[in-house]
Amino acid sequence: MSDAGFVVAGYVITAVVLIAYIGWMAARFRRVRRGLTEEELERWR
Amino acid sequence: MAVIPESAPAPARGRRWIYVVAALLCVGAIAFLLLGGLRGNIVYFRTVSEAVQENDTGRLRLAGEVVPGSISETDDGVTFEVTDGNETVAVVHRGDPPDLFAEGAPVVAEGEWDDGFAAFQSDRILINHGNEYSPPDVSSEDPSAEHPS
Amino acid sequence: MSLAREVWLVAGKDLRVEARSRVTLNQVLPFGAVVLLLFAFALDPDRGLLSEVAPGLFWVAVLLAAVLAVSRSFAVEAEHGAIDGLRLSGLDGASVFLGKTLAIAVQLLLLELVLGIGVVVFYDTAVRSVAVLVLAGVAATVGIAATGTLFGVLAAGLRTRETLVPLLLLPIVAPVMLGATRAFEAGLDGVPSEAWPWVQLLALFAVLYLGVGVLAFGSLLEDA
Amino acid sequence: MISLARPAVNALGLLTLVALFVLAVLALGVVPPDAVQGDAQRLMYVHVPAAWLAYLAFFVTAVSSALYLWPRTRQPGWDLLAGSSAEIGVIFTGLTLVLGSLWGRPVWGAWWVWDARLVTTAVLFFLYLGYLALRRVPADPDVRARRAAIAALIAFVDVPIVHFSVNWWRTLHQEATVFNPDLDAQIEGSMAWTLLFAVVAFTLAYGYLMARRVQLARLEEGREERELDAAIAARVASGSERTDLEDRVPGEGTGKGNIGDPAVAGAGEHR
């Protein structure tokens, strides 16, 4: 891998981590707001 | 100290001194740590002079600058000399050196002395770059000035 | 009651429980020995590698055994609501902490003695300066026992304490592992001057966590 | 998508997005490559701010934990703040390790070395991973918060050790560039400004992530409490004798549990 490859990999990983974390929080937001019942929560898992 | 919550059992008759002593010990230990009381314990590599002086058998890491003009390729690697300004040692390296390996580069060679301490047999080279950054055209000065010691 | 008497009371209680149940003797000690044995299988014993890395292997074995000893120390309290008795005994949090630390340290020292003999015999290790080994061993053990007791009570009464204690304890005692291994290397090689800074690190660690434990244990015990 | 987010949070998010985008353009296109390291040095503009953000996050965790432990300032909010911040800190410590590894490979010639800086950073990662695990264990909220707070303060000792490791000990990792012991940064102007901008952009990102994470924690907390109340009411109504809920309050994994169903919640869990 060239130097540029490492750099691009690093920036892409940073972006993916940020997006994934925000997305994960958004998913939890939705679950909390919908006020799922326990059975639904179990099925979702 | 903030770590004694109000709800903790009240120290028995005049037992507060133990908490005061403990708090002082904690603060003292952290202060000792921050003031660098353990400085110099943990050494990732040795300078060329130290390595020459100690003459240890067994694996060690040797740090120095590659002497310009001393690099020559061999069948299975490179040979070169490293220096820390005081001492200079010949290094025989097996394997490909990393991309940034060059004349004047600050390197850390991992390996051991050969018999008679004539040359250092290395099988892994790391580049110990400093904390100085500059664009190519601004400075062409020696990039290896940085040697934490 | 003086502090020393309270500490001795708690330590004596734990050691008596151990003397009767013999869990350390019958389970923790054999566990440590098996770990040492496994290292011997994993690393080819013929090439002198074992005697070279013996200090590191010894301390890994001790740390793993210490996790068990800590779990045991608080499992004893969990049975039959013993911990309520401890809470209601009117003993100072600091005394209970120091007492339990002392009991764990005594057990670990005995364990280290036996495992140490095992290392010398089976890994073919030469011992050159015993004083360094004893000093470093005691300092490291007090540090491990203090952090172990602190995290033991932190996880006490939790359903997942068996898995939580190692996760909390092992990263914290990483400096002990480093210091004790280096000090032991120097002690085995017979160069005490090289061991001294590491013994200093171990002592610093022990003092720091003894202090933290004394300060925090009371409120943690109350919640456990 | 998320209507709960208040306008201020959204504005902060937008600002963060723009800042990070500008940072990427600056760092990847505008700033010249390093004389020695070439393009690989561009990783500095994410590795260093990621490490800074981890420090900042753990510092906030430590301060909030101390505020929670101090009886006069004890508020459940401090606990939420500490937990949220530690989670972000762990993510960015992990990111720092990965980015450092990607930088080390072309420049040092190794993905990983066992020098003091790298080892203490790895220890930091596992310390706070343990802290988060401790937080997830179900227990009475106040008890859990106090335990977590003490664990957080203990773990924070490692942060200064990580930072000063490169000055105290001889490591392969370079010393701090800007905050080095002599405070004479050896870094060319445009690079220094880009690095400063990167730190600002990441700090904005921290602010946004924290705002969202704390909001989420509040919502989940609120729901937990509602469910707990419902469970207690159901248990009381069914005339169960078991009343100490201490050890089986909600929360598997993500902080929510099966407490909604009294039958599940009551299924005897012995310590």
Side-chain angles (χ1 to χ4, degrees), chain D residues 145-168:
Chain D
R146 257 185 290 164
R147 285 180 170 175
I150 288 172
L153 287 178
I154 293 172
F156 190 69
V157 174
D158 195 33
V159 170
I161 298 179
V162 170
H163 183 73
F164 292 113
S165 59
V166 286
N167 301 337
W168 291 344

Side-chain angles (χ1 to χ4, degrees), chain A:
Chain A
M1 197 156 38
S2 68
D3 280 7
F6 285 104
V7 173
V8 169
Y11 280 74
V12 168
I13 287 172
T14 308
V16 167
V17 166
L18 277 173
I19 292 167
Y21 187 52
I22 292 172
W24 175 76
M25 284 198 290
R28 279 175 66 168
F29 257 123
R30 281 197 294 274
R31 256 184 297 150
V32 171
R33 281 177 55 221
R34 259 190 268 152
L36 297 178
T37 62
E38 278 314 305
E39 289 89 286
E40 283 172 305
L41 256 180
E42 279 305 315
R43 235 179 293 135
W44 188 87
R45 286 197 192 107

Side-chain angles (χ1 to χ4, degrees), chain B residues 2-72:
Chain B
V3 275
I4 317 170
E6 213 166 45
S7 49
R13 309 145 292 267
R15 189 64 68 66
R16 282 216 173 263
W17 64 269
I18 180 80
Y19 294 98
V20 175
V21 168
L24 287 178
L25 283 178
C26 282
V27 171
I30 290 170
F32 186 73
L33 203 65
L34 288 180
L35 293 174
L38 295 171
R39 205 163 293 204
N41 269 6
I42 302 164
V43 174
Y44 187 72
F45 53 75
R46 289 169 206 288
T47 65
V48 178
S49 303
E50 287 168 356
V52 168
Q53 204 181 1
E54 287 167 16
N55 265 9
D56 273 340
T57 52
R59 278 185 81 80
L60 62 108
R61 299 191 189 91
L62 181 72
E65 269 175 47
V66 178
V67 176
S70 69
I71 302 176
S72 64

